[in-house]
Amino acid sequence: MGKRKRSEKAEAEAVPKKEDVAPERPVRTLLGWKDKNEIEAKDNAASPVFRNKEKVLVTCSRRIVYRYRHLMLNLVSLLPHCKKDNKVESKETKGATLNELVELKNCSSCLFFECRKAKDLYLWMAKCPNGPSVKFLVSAVHTMEELKLTGNHLKGSRPLLTFSSNFEKDAYWKLLKEMLLQIFETPKDHRKAKPFHDHVFVFSIVDDHIWFRNYQISVPHNESDKLPRGSLDKMTLIEVGPRFCLNPIKIFGGSFGGPTLYENPLYVSPNQNRALQKKKKAGTFAKKVKAKTRRKMHEMANPLEPDEFADMWKD
């Protein structure tokens, strides 16, 4: 019995009491001291609210014309969630270069302005790194500096996006609408964005072209004219700019390449248009030459009769 009691006493002394064990030190975070159990519970619980973390990389090719560069800067000022980068060489390998840049800048989309022959402007709109991507021909460009319109809105405010009903008629228009919505829509809680709406981006399809307009929402500020919610009678739209027109050329399955999902059958390249105009001008000159030769042949076939009184006053 004595031995058993001694062994029980030794085991009891070996096991430390709960009170003797020091409590775990709380973890220091940016928001103060927190217990590890709370942090683990927060990490394990999936947040039910979706947070939009869209970021757009905006860049252009080398040797871009100043008007097209100003258009790009206008778009940069309209999109607070975009990041501007240095110019990229417009080569066959530009897709891989741009995908790498997008990854380095921690972006999810890209707008690439490609200028060719100092005349033609192409816009690549891509979701990186898996696609899809669209190539547009940009025409009817009018920057804010050229237009000098009276509209004005706060920089960084979130825009309302409106689309014409034509975007629902075909599958490729629906895809373009979704891409425009994701790229031009400013995330709700972005650090550079203002938490209110005071302008509208309008995308409308006319003659299979996408026309872009930017309008300020003007509301009267007098105390007597304050509007109740939902009344749009006294609200007016004032155009701010810029303006441009997008002609879709091709839709690719990947980012800056890949399988062709859609090709515009009505698209005619600017080079072909210029060649046709040259042919027309060449045709007018050829017509003039032919008319001269015909006139000479007619004069030779029908010579004038000698005039009796031609030498009358020479004496």
Side-chain angles (χ1 to χ4, degrees):
M1 288 293 290
K3 290 181 180 179
R4 193 177 294 172
K5 284 182 180 178
R6 284 175 188 172
S7 61
E8 286 176 2
K9 285 181 181 179
E11 286 177 4
E13 288 175 1
V15 177
K17 295 180 181 179
K18 289 185 179 178
E19 295 177 359
D20 296 342
V21 177
E24 289 188 7
R25 189 177 180 182
V27 181
R28 186 175 186 179
T29 64
L30 292 173
L31 301 175
W33 296 90
K34 289 191 176 180
D35 294 334
K36 283 186 178 179
N37 298 330
E38 291 180 11
I39 295 170
E40 287 175 1
K42 282 187 179 179
D43 291 342
N44 294 334
S47 60
V49 181
F50 168 73
R51 188 179 176 190
N52 186 2
K53 295 184 179 180
E54 182 76 23
K55 291 178 186 175
V56 185
L57 177 71
V58 181
T59 183
C60 63
S61 63
R62 295 191 180 278
R63 295 173 291 278
I64 192 170
V65 187
Y66 72 95
R67 289 185 67 246
Y68 298 152
R69 190 178 72 252
H70 289 178
L71 174 67
M72 183 190 73
L73 294 175
N74 290 159
L75 282 181
V76 168
S77 65
L78 290 177
L79 304 175
H81 61 291
C82 78
K83 292 184 178 182
K84 185 175 169 292
D85 199 71
N86 297 329
K87 296 177 181 177
V88 178
E89 193 65 47
S90 180
K91 291 182 179 178
E92 292 180 358
T93 57
K94 65 175 178 291
T97 308
L98 287 167
N99 282 328
E100 192 175 347
L101 272 175
V102 169
E103 189 178 354
L104 287 171
K105 291 283 183 179
N106 196 20
C107 296
S108 55
S109 307
C110 182
L111 291 176
F112 177 59
F113 291 85
E114 185 179 5
C115 185
R116 293 184 183 174
K117 296 189 175 181
K119 298 175 185 176
D120 310 324
L121 179 65
Y122 297 92
L123 173 62
W124 284 87
M125 194 179 292
K127 296 292 293 179
C128 300
N130 299 321
S133 56
V134 194
K135 186 180 182 182
F136 295 102
L137 174 68
V138 186
S139 57
V141 173
H142 299 282
T143 60
M144 288 185 186
E145 292 80 8
E146 292 175 357
L147 292 171
K148 295 181 181 176
L149 295 167
T150 55
N152 188 18
H153 60 78
L154 287 170
K155 188 174 181 180
S157 58
R158 297 174 64 208
L160 297 171
L161 270 68
T162 61
F163 296 88
S164 62
S165 58
N166 310 357
F167 277 96
E168 300 298 327
K169 64 180 182 181
D170 289 314
Y172 64 91
W173 287 122
K174 288 180 183 177
L175 174 62
L176 290 176
K177 177 183 176 181
E178 186 61 32
M179 288 189 69
L180 290 168
L181 192 66
Q182 290 186 21
I183 290 175
F184 283 88
E185 184 183 29
T186 305
K188 184 180 178 183
D189 298 323
H190 195 271
R191 59 190 180 84
K192 290 185 180 178
K194 307 287 192 305
F196 44 80
H197 304 272
D198 65 344
H199 64 290
V200 188
F201 289 165
V202 180
F203 297 93
S204 51
I205 299 174
V206 181
D207 297 333
D208 292 326
H209 290 59
I210 300 174
W211 297 80
F212 173 84
R213 294 290 184 271
N214 178 26
Y215 295 99
Q216 175 201 353
I217 303 171
S218 178
V219 183
H221 293 288
N222 300 332
E223 288 292 330
S224 59
D225 294 339
K226 275 194 174 178
L227 300 179
R229 284 192 174 184
S231 66
L232 304 174
D233 301 333
K234 295 184 180 179
M235 287 188 184
T236 54
L237 295 178
I238 306 169
E239 189 173 355
V240 182
R243 298 175 180 174
F244 56 87
C245 173
L246 300 174
N247 184 11
I249 303 170
K250 276 187 180 183
I251 301 177
F252 299 98
S255 177
F256 297 101
T260 303
L261 303 180
Y262 169 75
E263 187 171 358
N264 189 359
L266 304 175
Y267 171 70
V268 181
S269 69
N271 289 334
Q272 289 178 337
N273 284 330
R274 284 191 286 268
L276 288 171
Q277 289 177 2
K278 280 184 181 179
K279 279 184 182 178
K280 283 182 182 178
K281 288 180 181 178
T284 54
F285 180 72
K287 283 178 184 177
K288 286 181 182 178
V289 173
K290 283 180 182 178
K292 279 184 180 180
T293 53
R294 276 202 305 270
R295 181 67 185 169
K296 284 182 181 178
M297 295 293 290
H298 180 73
E299 287 177 357
M300 289 172 64
N302 303 301
L304 292 172
E305 295 180 1
D307 191 3
E308 297 178 6
F309 304 105
D311 300 329
M312 180 176 174
W313 306 106
K314 280 189 180 179
D315 298 336

